[in-house]
Amino acid sequence: MTNEELRKRSREQDEYSADSIQVLEGLEAVRKRPAMYIGDVSVRGLHHLVYEVVDNSIDEALAGYCTRIDVTINEDNSITVVDNGRGIPVEMHEKEKRSALEVVMTVLHAGGKFDKDTYKVSGGLHGVGVSCVNALSSRMTVEVMRQGRKWSQTYEKGKPLAPVAPVGDSDESGTITTFMPDNTIFQTIDFKFDILAARLRELAFLNKNILLTLTDRREPAENGSSEEQAHLTENFYSERGLIEFVEYLDVNRERLTEKIIYINYDKGDVPVELALQYNTSFSENVHSYVNNINTIEGGTHLAGFRRGLTRTLKKYAEDSGLTSKLKFDINGDDFREGLTAVISVKVAEPQFEGQTKTKLGNSEVMGSVDVAVSTALTNYLEENPRDAKSIVQKVILAATARHAARKARELVQRKNVLSGSGLPGKLADCADRDPSVSEIFLVEGDSAGGTAKQGRDRRFQAILPLRGKILNVEKAMQHKIFDSEEIKNIFTALGVTIGTEDDSKALNTSGLRYAKVIIMTDADVDGSHITTLIMTFFFRYMKELIENGHIYIATPPLYLVKKGKAEKYCWSDEERDAAIREMAQGKESSVTIQRYKGLGEMNAEQLWETTMNPETRTLRQVTIDSAAEADHIFSMLMGDEVPPRREFIERHAKYANIDA
Ligand code: 0RA
C-alpha cells in the first residue's frame, strides 16, 4: 500500500469513528430504555426483535421483489432471517457519507427514508426499525447480496466493528440478518418455536403467496420432554390468504354458511381485505389488522366493519320479513354471535392510539371498510338466499338468548345486593381490601380448597373453591353461562360485571378486587383440563384481565424426593433425577420419591411453602401472544373433534406421559 493510500485509509477511519459517535447516542437511548421502543424486555419483547426483522422482508415482498423468507433459530439461540429480495442498498449515502446499509442499521427510524415508494415500513408496534434490534443485540451481522457481490457488516450492541465491505461474489440477491439478543437486556433470550410459528403463520395468511419457513436447529431436550421437542422445519404458505385464515380459525367449529364471504376491495384510498363466515358457536371471533399488526384494541376499521355488517344484515332481515314478529329489538351484538372474521387494511400513515398502541385512529378508514363490507355482503346475500336465511335465523336466536341472559344476569346482580356483602358463601376472603396487594386462588375441589384455606396468608390471600369441572363456555349459550353457579361465583368474587343496556358483552373490571387471580389445580390430566376450562372462560369472557396481566397459574410440585431429614421438591423429571443422584451419594438410608398427583396430598404447610408463598412459589402469568392462535387453540381444545385435541395435548401437556 502506498503512503497516499495509507493516509486516505486513515482519513476514512477517522471520519468513520466520528460518524459512529453520533450514531451511538441514538442507539444508546434504546439500550437505556428498551421498553420504550419494543414494549418490554420479557418473552414478548424478545420475540418482537424477530418480527421487526421479518417485517422488513415482508415489506420487500409486498413491494413485489421477494417471495421467500426463512427464519432459523440457530444452535446458539441466535436468529437468522434470510430473504430473496433486492438486498438492502449498500451504496454511499450522500448525506451521511457512509453506506446506506450502515445508516439503516445504526440510525433510529432510518428504515424507509431513502425509497419512500417501495419501502414502507409497517408502523405501530413493530415499526421501530431494525436499528433497535441491532442496539439490543450483543452481536449482529447483515449480509447483502446485490449486483453480483456479497457485502457484510458486523455490529456489537449496535456499534459497527468496521465499514461495510465486500466479502465475495454472489449471483443471487437478498438480505441475510443474524443477531444474538443481548442477555444483559432481556430477562430471557430463549426463543420459543411456537410463538414464532404463530406469528409466521399469521403473516402467511395476511400476505398470500409468500413462503415463510421456520427452522429450529437447537438440540432437542435429552428426553424430549414437554415443550422442548425436536422441531425441525415448518413451512407457512397461503394461496388464498384470509379465506384460509378463517378456515384455520374455524377448523373445529361447525360452519353455518356454505361459502366464506371474501372481499378484496382496493378501489378506495384504503385497501380493505376481509373474509368472514358464520358458525354454529356462540362466540364472536373478529381479528383485525392494520399493516399486518394485530389491532387488539380495534379502532376505526373495526367500527366500519361492524357498522357495515349490522346495517346490511338488518336491512336484509327487515326486507325479507323474517324479523317482523319479534317482540324485542336486535342489537349489534346479535349480528356477531358465531361470526368469525379477519379484516386487514393497509394504511399509509396509521395513527395508533390506546393503551397498547393497537387501536387505529384514522377516521377516513371507517367509511372505506363500511362501504367494502356493505357492497360485498349485499351481493352475497342476494346470490345465496339459503345462507342468508340461516344467518338471519341465527341472529334472531342470538337476540332471544340475549334477552334470557339479561334476565339471568339481573337475577345474579339483585341477589348480590340482597345478600349483604354480595360475595359467594364459598369464598374465604382476605382481610386486606386493597386490590393491588390482594390475590385470589381459584382452587379445584372442596378438599384442596380446605387445605389452601389453612395454608394461606389470610391477610392478602383469598380462596375460592370450585366444584370440579366448570362449564365449557365454548359450547354453551350465554344465558346458560350465567345460570352456572361456579361462573356466577367467579364474577361476584372478583367484583367484575358484564353487560350493559346496549352491549351485553361489555366488561366492567373497575371493581376488580384482586390484582392476581391464580388458578390452582392438581398436577394431572384432570387438573390441566380444569385449568384449560377456566382459561377458556377468562379468554372468552374476561379477556381484559388476561391482557392486563391479572391471570396466573400456580405450579404445584410434581415430586418430593426424601432421604432421612433431607427433602427436595421437584417440578420436573429432570429435577427429580438430579435430586435422586445427589441424595443417593451418602448411601446410608434409601431415597424415597413421592409423586404428588393432587393438591390434596400435600398438607397445608407444604402447599404454602411450595405453591402459595410469594417468596418461594413460581407463578406462570397467562399472556396472549397471538389472539388468532389463542382462538384457534381454545376452539380446538374445547370443541368436538378429538384427534386434533389429542395431538395438541400430547405435544404440549406436561402430565400426559405420567398418568395416561
Ligand atoms: C429499499 C430499497 C431497496 C431494497 C430495500 C429497501 C430492502 C430492504 C430490506 C430489509 C430486509 N430485506 C430487505 N430487502 C430490500 C432496493 C432498491 C433498489 O435495488 O433499487
Side-chain angles (χ1 to χ4, degrees):
M1 200 179 279
T2 66
N3 281 346
E4 181 53 39
E5 279 170 332
L6 277 172
R7 273 196 298 276
K8 182 163 176 273
R9 194 171 172 194
S10 147
R11 240 182 358 252
E12 276 173 4
Q13 278 171 354
D14 282 351
E15 275 174 31
Y16 183 75
S17 29
D19 283 339
S20 310
I21 291 165
Q22 192 198 348
V23 162
L24 262 179
E25 284 167 9
L27 294 192
E28 207 44 58
V30 179
R31 291 180 59 83
K32 274 210 184 94
R33 295 219 169 87
M36 264 188 52
Y37 297 86
I38 54 159
D40 60 45
V41 290
S42 70
V43 176
R44 184 174 297 186
L46 177 76
H47 289 79
H48 266 148
L49 301 180
V50 185
Y51 307 160
E52 189 62 49
V53 175
V54 171
D55 281 356
N56 290 328
S57 301
I58 292 275
D59 282 333
E60 181 69 357
L62 292 178
Y65 300 103
C66 166
T67 55
R68 180 176 177 144
I69 302 166
D70 299 290
V71 179
T72 304
I73 311 172
N74 299 307
E75 263 160 86
D76 61 356
N77 200 52
S78 65
I79 295 282
T80 297
V81 178
V82 181
D83 74 44
N84 65 352
R86 291 168 295 176
I88 301 177
V90 290
E91 295 77 71
M92 258 313 165
H93 192 282
E94 285 303 325
K95 216 176 95 221
E96 296 269 350
K97 296 209 172 50
R98 28 192 188 132
S99 162
L101 171 62
E102 184 176 320
V103 176
V104 171
M105 297 310 298
T106 57
V107 180
L108 269 182
H109 296 111
K113 290 232 174 90
F114 52 95
D115 189 355
K116 205 162 174 262
D117 294 333
T118 52
Y119 190 33
K120 237 184 316 181
V121 183
S122 359
L125 218 53
H126 319 140
V128 290
V130 75
S131 61
C132 283
V133 181
N134 193 12
L136 301 175
S137 296
S138 55
R139 198 179 172 87
M140 184 152 178
T141 296
V142 181
E143 295 160 280
V144 169
M145 284 94 74
R146 241 177 108 80
Q147 295 157 355
R149 297 177 97 174
K150 187 173 193 176
W151 305 77
S152 172
Q153 188 169 42
T154 295
Y155 321 80
E156 279 175 10
K157 301 175 183 177
K159 203 173 145 185
L161 299 185
V164 174
V167 290
D169 295 337
S170 174
D171 47 21
E172 289 172 77
S173 78
T175 303
I176 305 173
T177 306
T178 299
F179 67 94
M180 173 65 91
D182 190 332
N183 66 2
T184 64
I185 291 198
F186 292 93
Q187 289 161 7
T188 164
I189 57 162
D190 187 25
F191 286 104
K192 297 282 181 206
F193 187 92
D194 290 346
I195 295 180
L196 294 177
R199 175 63 182 159
L200 297 186
R201 180 180 298 114
E202 190 177 46
L203 283 171
F205 286 137
L206 291 168
N207 307 282
K208 52 184 141 190
N209 297 320
I210 304 174
L211 174 61
L212 296 145
T213 73
L214 177 61
T215 302
D216 194 342
R217 289 201 199 289
R218 295 171 298 188
E219 289 288 308
E222 229 167 81
N223 51 8
S225 78
S226 68
E227 285 147 75
E228 263 66 62
Q229 285 191 347
H231 296 286
L232 289 166
T233 296
E234 204 167 328
N235 292 350
F236 306 95
Y237 176 80
S238 175
E239 229 173 64
R240 294 177 300 131
L242 298 192
I243 297 181
E244 276 174 279
F245 201 163
V246 166
E247 280 172 0
Y248 177 77
L249 291 169
D250 269 0
V251 262
N252 301 292
R253 298 190 179 104
E254 192 189 331
R255 64 204 311 188
L256 186 76
T257 44
E258 252 157 48
K259 268 187 289 179
I260 291 177
I261 304 171
Y262 175 75
I263 305 156
N264 192 353
Y265 196 85
D266 57 6
K267 284 181 225 119
D269 290 342
V270 185
V272 179
E273 197 185 352
L274 70 90
L276 65 93
Q277 90 171 342
Y278 281 87
N279 57 61
T280 60
S281 87
F282 307 104
S283 51
E284 172 189 345
N285 299 297
V286 177
H287 300 278
S288 66
Y289 295 84
V290 174
N291 302 350
N292 289 331
I293 295 163
N294 186 195
T295 36
I296 56 173
E297 294 178 275
T300 50
H301 55 327
L302 190 64
F305 169 75
R306 290 181 165 180
R307 191 195 275 189
L309 182 89
T310 302
R311 190 169 17 77
T312 309
L313 285 178
K314 205 168 204 156
K315 182 169 186 315
Y316 184 87
E318 281 165 8
D319 290 353
S320 66
L322 289 162
T323 51
S324 57
K325 289 198 198 78
L326 273 193
K327 293 202 178 60
F328 40 76
D329 63 306
I330 300 182
N331 75 17
D333 280 351
D334 303 329
F335 290 100
R336 297 191 300 272
E337 209 174 272
L339 171 68
T340 295
V342 181
I343 309 159
S344 170
V345 296
K346 299 270 160 49
V347 181
E349 279 176 46
Q351 238 68 60
F352 288 107
E353 304 166 349
Q355 239 177 19
T356 55
K357 293 267 173 278
T358 57
K359 180 174 183 182
L360 184 67
N362 305 50
S363 54
E364 74 278 10
V365 178
M366 176 136 46
S368 303
V369 183
D370 185 345
V371 169
V373 181
S374 311
T375 313
L377 194 57
T378 304
N379 288 341
Y380 182 86
L381 295 172
E382 270 163 22
E383 286 162 18
N384 300 275
R386 251 195 316 155
D387 278 357
K389 197 172 168 195
S390 312
I391 294 172
V392 173
Q393 280 168 343
K394 168 101 182 159
V395 170
I396 294 172
L397 188 69
T400 314
R402 179 170 52 83
H403 277 258
R406 188 156 80 192
K407 287 202 192 110
R409 196 174 59 239
E410 281 166 359
L411 216 61
V412 179
Q413 280 159 357
R414 197 157 338 118
K415 242 204 273 170
N416 290 339
V417 175
L418 292 178
S419 64
S421 77
L423 296 171
K426 282 205 206 174
L427 173 72
D429 208 2
C430 52
D432 207 312
R433 283 287 120 91
D434 175 2
S436 72
V437 298
S438 305
E439 354 183 290
I440 182 169
F441 287 81
L442 307 182
V443 187
E444 159 193 1
D446 288 333
S447 99
T451 315
K453 272 182 209 174
Q454 285 169 28
R456 68 175 171 151
D457 183 334
R458 49 160 299 139
R459 284 174 304 180
F460 68 98
Q461 294 181 318
I463 309 292
L464 180 67
L466 298 174
R467 194 177 317 120
K469 306 216 159 152
I470 75 159
L471 184 75
N472 180 350
V473 298
E474 199 65 34
K475 286 194 190 161
M477 286 180 83
Q478 227 198 344
H479 65 282
K480 280 269 182 264
I481 288 160
F482 291 104
D483 282 346
S484 153
E485 205 57 44
E486 309 303 318
I487 285 175
K488 281 191 282 191
N489 283 347
I490 295 177
F491 270 103
T492 46
L494 296 191
V496 171
T497 58
I498 190 170
T500 58
E501 202 45 53
D502 43 59
D503 184 354
S504 70
K505 290 198 177 119
L507 195 69
N508 182 356
T509 59
S510 61
L512 182 66
R513 305 178 60 247
Y514 312 94
K516 291 195 172 80
V517 178
I518 304 164
I519 305 168
M520 186 160 76
T521 62
D522 289 344
D524 63 5
V525 172
D526 268 358
S528 39
H529 187 214
I530 291 166
T531 299
T532 314
L533 285 166
I534 300 174
M535 292 220 300
T536 309
F537 163 73
F538 282 119
F539 181 68
R540 295 287 181 217
Y541 286 88
M542 295 193 187
K543 201 187 247 164
E544 235 173 85
L545 293 192
I546 306 181
E547 282 162 1
N548 295 333
H550 292 295
I551 309 294
Y552 296 82
I553 297 174
T555 55
L558 294 178
Y559 303 101
L560 175 60
V561 181
K562 253 179 159 165
K563 193 177 105 172
K565 286 219 172 66
E567 287 186 344
K568 194 170 191 307
Y569 294 103
C570 301
W571 276 260
S572 67
D573 292 5
E574 296 87 77
E575 262 186 75
R576 174 201 59 192
D577 295 343
I580 296 171
R581 272 197 302 274
E582 198 176 295
M583 288 188 188
Q585 274 164 10
K587 278 194 185 138
E588 288 118 55
S589 55
S590 61
V591 178
T592 61
I593 303 150
Q594 184 184 351
R595 155 91 175 106
Y596 288 120
K597 286 206 169 173
L599 300 167
E601 291 175 30
M602 278 182 272
N603 63 34
E605 197 187 321
Q606 288 172 320
L607 189 60
W608 162 256
E609 207 43 55
T610 59
T611 315
M612 298 178 75
N613 179 358
E615 304 284 318
T616 49
R617 72 186 178 194
T618 306
L619 293 183
R620 287 187 291 163
Q621 189 173 39
V622 179
T623 58
I624 305 173
D625 296 307
S626 161
E629 191 62 14
D631 178 15
H632 170 80
I633 289 170
F634 279 121
S635 67
M636 169 181 74
L637 288 176
M638 297 291 120
D640 295 317
E641 294 285 325
V642 174
R645 173 160 65 232
R646 171 165 311 149
E647 198 215 322
F648 180 87
I649 290 173
E650 277 168 7
R651 200 150 84 87
H652 293 273
K654 293 202 167 59
Y655 315 118
N657 53 346
I658 298 165
D659 297 81

